[in-house]
Amino acid sequence: MQPLMNHLWPDGKLLGIEWSVWKMLGWAGNATFFSRFLVQWYVTEKRKQVVVPQAFWWLSLFGSLTLVCYSLHQRDSVFIFAYAFTPIPYLRNLIIHRRYKDAHQDCAGCGRKIAPQANFCPACGVQVPKPD
Ligand SMILES: [Zn+2]
């Protein structure tokens, strides 16, 4: 047990890292950003098709914003540039996702949500009225 503790806690520091509030923020950003891959992979495996769920974009947005804050604190230009502009496509994808969701309509036959491009309800087969 002691050799393991020596690796996990060398010199009295967890994982040998000099911990501070900023370091914890940076690692929280890393964990948030990394977790998006696990979420995307899980949903893709579950549905047996490649899916990018809305949670992926939220985790990307919060992870990258946290990492931008950390990189600004570190004054590391390479790190700042790597994350400074990534929130733009994440926000744009969230907006497009919201608009697509709002464009769904309720089926007159069964009340389920129908995709905007659908001509018939996939659940009950009722024809979807198209707005002019
Ligand atoms: Zn229906």
Side-chain angles (χ1 to χ4, degrees):
M1 195 65 188
Q2 192 58 37
L4 177 66
M5 285 304 288
N6 288 342
H7 284 295
L8 289 175
W9 217 282
D11 304 324
K13 300 173 202 158
L14 177 61
L15 301 172
I17 296 169
E18 192 73 50
W19 289 96
S20 67
V21 171
W22 280 104
K23 198 64 100 175
M24 285 190 271
L25 183 78
W27 277 107
N30 258 340
T32 304
F33 202 72
F34 179 77
S35 69
R36 68 192 195 139
F37 292 114
L38 300 176
V39 169
Q40 195 271 332
W41 187 13
Y42 173 78
V43 174
T44 291
E45 292 287 347
K46 194 174 173 185
R47 294 197 196 163
K48 305 286 182 224
Q49 66 180 42
V50 178
V51 178
V52 183
Q54 193 179 11
F56 178 89
W57 302 115
W58 283 112
L59 291 167
S60 300
L61 181 65
F62 284 116
S64 64
L65 288 174
T66 305
L67 288 169
V68 166
C69 291
Y70 179 73
S71 65
L72 287 168
H73 172 74
Q74 292 296 105
R75 298 176 183 269
D76 182 332
S77 59
V78 173
F79 197 6
I80 292 167
F81 190 80
Y83 288 99
F85 302 102
T86 57
I88 296 167
Y90 303 150
L91 269 175
R92 184 67 187 143
N93 284 328
L94 283 165
I95 290 167
I96 290 169
H97 187 89
R98 166 58 67 186
R99 286 182 182 159
Y100 180 73
K101 208 170 172 185
D102 288 348
H104 281 62
Q105 54 184 304
D106 296 324
C107 172
C110 68
R112 290 195 184 167
K113 292 286 181 196
I114 305 172
Q117 71 274 17
N119 294 319
F120 296 93
C121 172
C124 72
V126 165
Q127 189 168 10
V128 179
K130 288 290 169 193
D132 296 310

